[in-house]
Amino acid sequence: MRRVGEAAFSKVEKINSELFSLTYGAIVTQLLKDYEEVDATNTQLEKMGYNIGVRLIDEFLAKAQVGNCGNFGETAEVIAKVGFKMFLGITAEVVGVSEKEFSLQLPENPLAEFVELPEQYGSLAYNNMLCGVLRGALEMVQMRVECSLTKDALWGDEVTEIRVVLKEMMEEEYVDDD
Amino acid sequence: MRRVGEAAFSKVEKINSELFSLTYGAIVTQLLKDYEEVDATNTQLEKMGYNIGVRLIDEFLAKAQVGNCGNFGETAEVIAKVGFKMFLGITAEVVGVSEKEFSLQLPENPLAEFVELPEQYGSLAYNNMLCGVLRGALEMVQMRVECSLTKDALWGDEVTEIRVVLKEMMEEEYVDDD
C-alpha cells in the first residue's frame, strides 16, 4: 500500500484500544495460519513492525517535539515516556541502561489485552511487532539496533520487557539535490 | 487466540490512530500476499471483521449505555453516532433508511489514512473489515445482516459508504442452566 501526505497529518487522533488489540490479534492468527510455525511467525511480526516503525517515526518527530538525545540512556527515556505514551497510551520503565543497551518494561500492554497463548504456541513472541517498530523507528534516526522480547506477561512473566542493543550509529546520508 | 476477562475491562482506552492504520495496512498487505487475489482478500477481511465484531459488541453494550432500539433506523443512528465514535473516534451519517436497510457514510476513515490503492488492486475493498465488524456485532444482538462497501474514498468516491441490509431478526436463544 502506498501512503501519501503524512506531513499534513497534524493532530494525534485516537482510536479504541480494544479494536486495536483485536485487529492485532487477527494479524497474529493469520500469520500463524500462513507460516504454520512459531519461529517464522515471530520473524514476520518483527518485520511487519519494522515497516510500521520506519513510517511512525515521522509522526513522532513531528509531534513529540523532543530534541536530540545526548546518549543512549536519554533515547531510552524518550521512547519509554514519550513514544509509548503517544502511540499506545502507556509509559514504559527503563531498566538496565548502559552505553549500548537498555530494556523497556511494560507494566501493561494494549496489544495483548485479554490474550492467552494456547499451549502449542507457548514460545510465540506475540508482541514481537513492538520490537520491529523500535528497530524501524530507530534506524530512521541513525541507530541500528537489535530488539528482542526478553520477558512477556503472556509467558507468565510479571512484565513484558524488550531489550534494545545498539549495534551501530549510522552515518547520516546527505542527498545532493542536483 | 483465546481472550479472557473482557468484562473486567471497564474504561475506554485509546491508542494512536496512525499506529492502528499502519497495523491494519499490514494485515491487508499480508492477505493480498497470501490469497494472491483481490476477491479472496475482500472476503477474508470481512470474515476477520466478523470475528472482531462478535467480541467488540460486549464492550459496546457495557459502555455505551444505550437502550433497545425500537426500529432499524434507530439501530443505524446508534451505530453511526455511538459505535463509530467509541471505536474509531469518528461519527458516520445515516442515509437511505428504510425498515430493512440503511447506509452509513464515513466522511473520514481512520483505517485508510494516507492509503492509495495501486492500480492492480483497484477493486480491493480495503475497508471490508468494517462490514464484517458490523455483521458480527449485529448478529450478537439478534440481527442477521448483510453489509457491503458501496462507496469508498479509495475508489475515488466522496465518502466511504457501507450498506446494511437486515435479513432476519433472530430468535434469542435461552440456555437452560440445567
Side-chain angles (χ1 to χ4, degrees):
Chain A
M1 295 301 115
R2 193 148 67 88
R3 296 166 64 81
V4 293
E6 302 196 49
F9 185 62
S10 62
K11 55 191 195 300
V12 177
E13 313 262 3
K14 300 280 181 190
I15 66 115
N16 177 277
S17 78
E18 172 84 355
L19 176 60
F20 176 69
S21 68
L22 285 168
T23 304
Y24 184 69
I27 294 193
V28 179
T29 305
Q30 183 69 31
L31 291 177
L32 279 171
K33 203 177 105 190
D34 290 352
Y35 292 95
E36 292 174 355
E37 55 124 346
V38 165
D39 285 355
T41 301
N42 292 347
T43 304
Q44 190 57 29
L45 282 170
E46 202 274 346
K47 276 191 199 164
M48 198 177 263
Y50 175 87
N51 291 327
I52 292 174
V54 300
R55 287 158 185 241
L56 224 45
I57 188 72
D58 286 341
E59 184 171 5
F60 179 76
L61 294 175
K63 297 199 188 135
Q65 300 179 312
V66 291
N68 284 332
C69 294
N71 58 51
F72 205 47
E74 259 181 64
T75 304
E77 288 296 335
V78 167
I79 294 170
K81 305 300 182 231
V82 187
F84 273 81
K85 190 76 193 164
M86 181 182 289
F87 293 110
L88 292 175
I90 56 164
T91 56
E93 289 302 313
V94 179
V95 297
V97 183
S98 74
E99 221 175 291
K100 305 215 158 187
E101 286 186 46
F102 60 82
S103 292
L104 298 167
Q105 291 189 338
L106 315 186
E108 50 179 336
N109 175 9
L111 266 72
E113 296 267 7
F114 322 118
V115 175
E116 266 188 8
L117 297 184
E119 212 170 306
Q120 74 269 35
Y121 298 135
S123 64
L124 180 68
Y126 187 90
N127 297 300
N128 230 15
M129 186 179 85
L130 293 178
C131 294
V133 168
L134 288 175
R135 182 168 69 89
L138 286 171
E139 198 169 295
M140 292 296 107
V141 289
Q142 275 67 54
M143 284 175 251
R144 195 168 67 72
V145 298
E146 277 174 15
C147 299
S148 53
L149 210 56
T150 41
K151 293 179 186 170
D152 198 319
L154 298 180
W155 300 333
D157 296 313
E158 287 274 309
V159 292
T160 297
E161 182 182 272
I162 299 167
R163 186 104 195 115
V164 181
V165 180
L166 181 63
K167 306 307 282 186
E168 184 192 1
M169 287 298 298
M170 295 147 73
E171 298 284 315
E172 272 203 68
E173 283 174 30
Y174 291 96
V175 180
D176 194 323
D177 274 351
D178 303 326
Chain B
M1 293 304 116
R2 193 149 68 90
R3 295 164 65 82
V4 291
E6 302 194 48
F9 186 60
S10 62
K11 56 190 196 299
V12 177
E13 312 262 2
K14 300 280 181 191
I15 67 114
N16 176 276
S17 78
E18 171 84 357
L19 176 60
F20 175 68
S21 69
L22 285 168
T23 303
Y24 183 68
I27 293 194
V28 179
T29 305
Q30 184 67 33
L31 291 177
L32 279 171
K33 205 177 105 190
D34 289 352
Y35 291 94
E36 291 177 354
E37 56 124 344
V38 165
D39 285 354
T41 301
N42 292 348
T43 304
Q44 190 57 31
L45 283 170
E46 203 273 346
K47 275 190 202 167
M48 196 176 266
Y50 175 87
N51 291 327
I52 292 173
V54 300
R55 286 156 186 246
L56 224 45
I57 187 72
D58 286 339
E59 184 170 7
F60 179 76
L61 295 176
K63 297 199 189 139
Q65 299 179 313
V66 292
N68 283 334
C69 294
N71 58 50
F72 206 46
E74 259 179 64
T75 305
E77 288 295 335
V78 168
I79 295 170
K81 305 301 183 231
V82 187
F84 273 82
K85 190 74 192 167
M86 181 184 289
F87 292 111
L88 291 175
I90 58 165
T91 56
E93 288 302 313
V94 179
V95 298
V97 183
S98 75
E99 220 176 293
K100 303 215 159 190
E101 285 187 45
F102 60 81
S103 293
L104 298 166
Q105 291 189 339
L106 314 185
E108 50 178 337
N109 176 8
L111 266 72
E113 297 267 8
F114 324 117
V115 174
E116 267 188 6
L117 296 183
E119 213 169 303
Q120 74 268 35
Y121 298 134
S123 62
L124 180 69
Y126 187 90
N127 296 300
N128 229 17
M129 186 179 86
L130 292 179
C131 294
V133 169
L134 289 174
R135 181 168 69 86
L138 287 171
E139 199 169 295
M140 292 296 105
V141 289
Q142 275 67 52
M143 285 176 249
R144 197 170 63 76
V145 299
E146 277 175 14
C147 299
S148 54
L149 210 56
T150 41
K151 292 180 186 170
D152 198 318
L154 298 180
W155 299 335
D157 295 313
E158 287 273 312
V159 292
T160 297
E161 184 183 271
I162 299 167
R163 187 101 194 116
V164 182
V165 179
L166 181 64
K167 306 307 282 185
E168 183 192 1
M169 287 298 298
M170 296 149 72
E171 298 284 315
E172 269 202 72
E173 283 174 31
Y174 291 95
V175 180
D176 194 325
D177 274 351
D178 304 326

